[in-house]
Amino acid sequence: MTQAAEQLNRPRSTNFYVPDLVDQGLKGQLRIPRFQRSFVWDEKDVLDLFDSLWRGFPIGTLLLWQKGAAAGTVEFGPLSIAVRERTDALWVVDGQQRITSLVGALNPTHRNVDKRFEVFFDLRRGRFATGGSSVPPTWLPVHRAIDSRSLLSWLREHVDDLEPDDYDAADALGGALRDYQVPAYIVSGDDDYLLRKIFDRVNSAGKPIGRADVFHALFASEAEPGSPQTVTEALSRLGFGIVDSDRVVQSLIALRGGNIQRDLRDEFDNGENAAEWYEKTEQALTLAISFLRKQGIPHLLLMPSTLPLPVLAAFFHLHPEPDSWTQRLLGRWLWRGWVHGFGRQGQTPALRQAIYSVNPKKGKPDLAPPEDRAALGLISSVVDEDAYNLRLHPFRTESSPARLAMLALASLHPLDLDGRPIDIGTRLEEQGVEAITELVPKRRGQVGARGFWPNNAGYPTGFEPSKILESHGITAEAAEALRTRRIDDFVALRTAYIEDLLGRYVSSRVEAKTLARPALSSLIVEDED
């Protein structure tokens, strides 16, 4: 996401009065995601929260995501409340324990659900406590103090038990609870990448739930947290296609380092949180996809091979912000591998060796080479030659040469009939390989007849504006062949054009026989004092 886009979608800062938070929870505007681990605070945590409210201490900033929510049941720990559908629901990303404690302890109707929610204020000692069925008459239930009318009613009920100082203490508590403002950030829209970024920077109070658990609950539908499906579903929101679960598993192992072929069932030691590693895998693959898009790959369906995904995941896990020279080296490795193959001994040995170049030892990231050395190690494993033997006939959308040819055509920035750029990634996401259309009928096996011509516009006639035709690799001579219905000539002319375009496109990315060196910054040696 660009900085300009982030600026447009920046979170809204606001404050909530405590009574409003409770009211929004009861009405279903506040929603708690379905966590694997729910309300974990004990009595002391809840009492400490109320003591902070009483003293005016900060209790941390809430992070809320505004989006629609279906009718159903919202659960604040052990408290269940039936709620209606809302378009303006606020999903709690960070602050579940605090909000659950406030709604549980301060709501006026759902009582005796959990002892942790039965919070009282000792008017004589100025302390909070939890109580059961029998409590001293000078202990004020906090849920009666939050509303002025309810507080006055409680004071009248206990007039024989209270002293003047007790009234002052009760009034002070009511004011403290009603006037306390809880700071919050509200993020709108579907940009969960920005939401995650904010989550990492917002301070949590109490016992924060694991980041992977939070985002699984928010985004991952019915998938089990800590599974390849969780990552696949999360990545699918990027509009880049469906990453195969095997590649997800390989990426996770690559992040942890060492032999890519080891069995995942024996991967984690006791006490290790697999969900957190799947979360890290998702983050690393998200960075890898961003890098691929910068390389001109709009969608997974145009990747000549997905073998680089685990390698890129490991690389960006260790080096999330590589410098421009390292990225250029990494790009050379990609394109040379796609053109010539990533190894002569098969995909699995090639993948294993590539991972060793980036992250050689399990659990030992300190042994990984610097970013530029890792990229140079990858380059050394692929052929340093210009493109050759790219067989484009017969044309098959799943073949590497065909996808390279489509990437070359995509680099022309195809236009629709209104002269607007075609979003090829979105077309592929919506239509699959059917987005790679036929420009003339019954020639699907010939590259000269395939491209990204809008499939709702009929076949091109050659009478379209030259700017539109040229954006689809249709030269003036080929357009003339179309206009005169010389289809064989059109396909031959366009095939020759695509072959020439592909050669130039790939050559500029392979950068054969160019200098491969470390980053200049790594070669600078400071003078000794």
Side-chain angles (χ1 to χ4, degrees):
M1 183 179 185
T2 65
Q3 289 184 349
E6 283 194 15
Q7 191 72 13
L8 289 173
N9 293 302
R10 63 185 303 167
R12 172 165 57 92
S13 175
T14 189
N15 293 289
F16 290 96
Y17 286 102
V18 169
D20 293 336
L21 280 176
V22 175
D23 184 61
Q24 290 180 20
L26 296 175
K27 290 180 178 178
Q29 183 170 14
L30 282 174
R31 298 294 178 101
I32 303 292
R34 231 178 5 93
F35 291 108
Q36 183 184 30
R37 174 182 79 166
S38 188
F39 185 57
V40 298
W41 273 12
D42 56 26
E43 291 181 26
K44 183 179 183 303
D45 294 316
V46 177
L47 297 178
D48 285 345
L49 174 66
F50 277 92
D51 187 67
S52 293
L53 298 178
W54 166 244
R55 298 173 183 273
F57 292 170
I59 64 170
T61 303
L62 306 177
L63 179 57
L64 308 172
W65 188 21
Q66 187 168 43
K67 70 187 189 84
T73 301
V74 61
E75 295 183 353
F76 296 94
L79 177 62
S80 296
I81 300 173
V83 294
R84 62 179 177 83
E85 180 181 6
R86 299 192 68 116
T87 59
D88 61 347
L90 297 173
W91 291 83
V92 181
V93 180
D94 194 27
Q96 181 211 4
Q97 307 299 315
R98 286 161 282 169
I99 288 177
T100 297
S101 299
L102 293 175
V103 174
L106 294 175
N107 81 84
T109 54
H110 300 77
R111 309 310 321 155
N112 300 313
V113 175
D114 190 299
K115 184 182 178 182
R116 291 172 292 181
F117 294 159
E118 301 307 314
V119 180
F120 297 83
F121 183 64
D122 184 343
L123 296 173
R124 301 282 168 84
R125 303 176 65 192
R127 296 180 182 177
F128 293 90
T130 54
S133 57
S134 177
V135 297
T138 55
W139 282 20
L140 169 61
V142 292
H143 72 272
R144 299 292 297 269
I146 197 173
D147 176 75
S148 297
R149 184 175 300 178
S150 177
L151 176 58
L152 288 173
S153 175
W154 185 88
L155 291 173
R156 285 195 297 268
E157 293 167 10
H158 293 79
V159 64
D160 295 333
D161 303 310
L162 303 177
E163 298 177 357
D165 288 346
D166 298 332
Y167 286 92
D168 291 339
D171 183 62
L173 175 66
L177 294 179
R178 290 191 295 272
D179 295 340
Y180 192 98
Q181 296 184 55
V182 182
Y185 285 114
I186 299 177
V187 180
S188 302
D190 297 324
D191 185 13
D192 58 270
Y193 173 75
L194 177 61
L195 193 65
R196 293 164 189 264
K197 207 169 184 179
I198 298 168
F199 180 90
D200 287 337
R201 298 185 185 180
V202 172
N203 291 324
S204 297
K207 300 174 180 176
I209 193 163
R211 187 174 187 266
D213 296 326
V214 173
F215 287 100
H216 164 73
L218 284 170
F219 307 128
S221 300
E222 299 301 319
E224 287 297 318
S227 69
Q229 185 185 358
T230 307
V231 178
T232 295
E233 288 188 15
L235 293 174
S236 68
R237 295 189 308 278
L238 300 176
F240 193 73
I242 304 300
V243 178
D244 184 84
S245 60
D246 287 343
R247 290 298 189 210
V248 171
V249 172
Q250 290 172 340
S251 297
L252 183 148
I253 293 174
L255 259 65
R256 291 168 63 82
N259 184 6
I260 193 72
Q261 291 180 278
R262 63 181 182 268
D263 193 335
L264 183 65
R265 290 172 295 183
D266 303 323
E267 182 65 18
F268 299 104
D269 298 328
N270 291 335
E272 283 193 287
N273 188 342
E276 293 290 348
W277 276 99
Y278 278 104
E279 168 68 14
K280 292 176 182 178
T281 302
E282 180 194 332
Q283 293 178 67
L285 284 169
T286 298
L287 292 174
I289 289 170
S290 176
F291 173 75
L292 288 167
R293 281 176 161 153
K294 291 175 183 176
Q295 291 290 314
I297 315 299
H299 196 272
L300 198 69
L301 289 175
L302 291 189
M303 278 189 73
S305 165
T306 61
L307 180 143
L309 279 175
V311 184
L312 292 174
F315 187 93
F316 284 103
H317 172 65
L318 294 169
H319 315 290
E321 296 181 352
D323 64 28
S324 58
W325 176 250
T326 300
Q327 292 187 53
R328 184 172 175 179
L329 294 175
L330 205 56
R332 285 185 198 170
W333 166 73
L334 268 181
W335 290 99
R336 292 178 186 182
W338 280 334
V339 170
H340 302 297
F342 289 95
R344 292 188 171 88
Q345 299 177 345
Q347 285 210 5
T348 300
L351 180 58
R352 183 174 62 242
Q353 185 57 47
I355 297 300
Y356 281 139
S357 295
V358 173
N359 195 9
K361 189 73 173 177
K362 178 184 175 182
K364 300 287 186 180
D366 54 309
L367 298 181
E371 60 181 58
D372 54 348
R373 302 286 179 176
L376 288 171
L378 291 172
I379 287 178
S380 68
S381 67
V382 292
V383 174
D384 181 9
E385 298 287 348
D386 222 331
Y388 59 87
N389 281 341
L390 292 176
R391 292 177 54 85
L392 296 177
H393 186 79
F395 180 90
R396 292 179 290 110
T397 55
E398 71 274 14
S399 74
S400 293
R403 293 186 177 190
L404 287 168
M406 290 302 101
L407 289 171
L409 283 173
S411 73
L412 299 176
H413 306 293
L415 305 175
D416 64 17
L417 295 188
D418 294 322
R420 296 173 301 198
I422 295 173
D423 188 335
I424 293 174
T426 298
R427 292 283 180 94
L428 288 163
E429 184 72 6
E430 294 173 350
Q431 303 169 15
V433 294
E434 293 306 311
I436 303 175
T437 54
E438 295 177 74
L439 278 66
V440 293
K442 300 180 181 179
R443 304 293 181 96
R444 293 181 67 85
Q446 295 177 270
V447 70
R450 304 297 294 274
F452 298 105
W453 189 261
N455 53 12
N456 58 352
Y459 297 117
T461 63
F463 292 99
E464 295 83 2
S466 59
K467 180 180 179 181
I468 293 174
L469 293 172
E470 289 169 1
S471 74
H472 290 273
I474 301 174
T475 63
E477 189 178 2
E480 175 62 22
L482 270 183
R483 289 193 291 269
T484 56
R485 305 309 298 159
R486 291 180 289 114
I487 303 302
D488 288 342
D489 288 346
F490 167 77
V491 173
L493 287 166
R494 191 163 179 272
T495 296
Y497 175 85
I498 292 174
E499 289 174 344
D500 179 67
L501 172 68
L502 176 58
R504 289 183 281 111
Y505 176 81
V506 169
S507 180
S508 68
R509 285 155 176 78
V510 166
E511 295 187 308
K513 306 304 181 182
T514 54
L515 176 65
R517 58 163 175 77
L520 292 177
S521 58
S522 68
L523 301 177
I524 297 174
V525 179
E526 295 184 2
D527 291 335
E528 295 183 3
D529 293 336

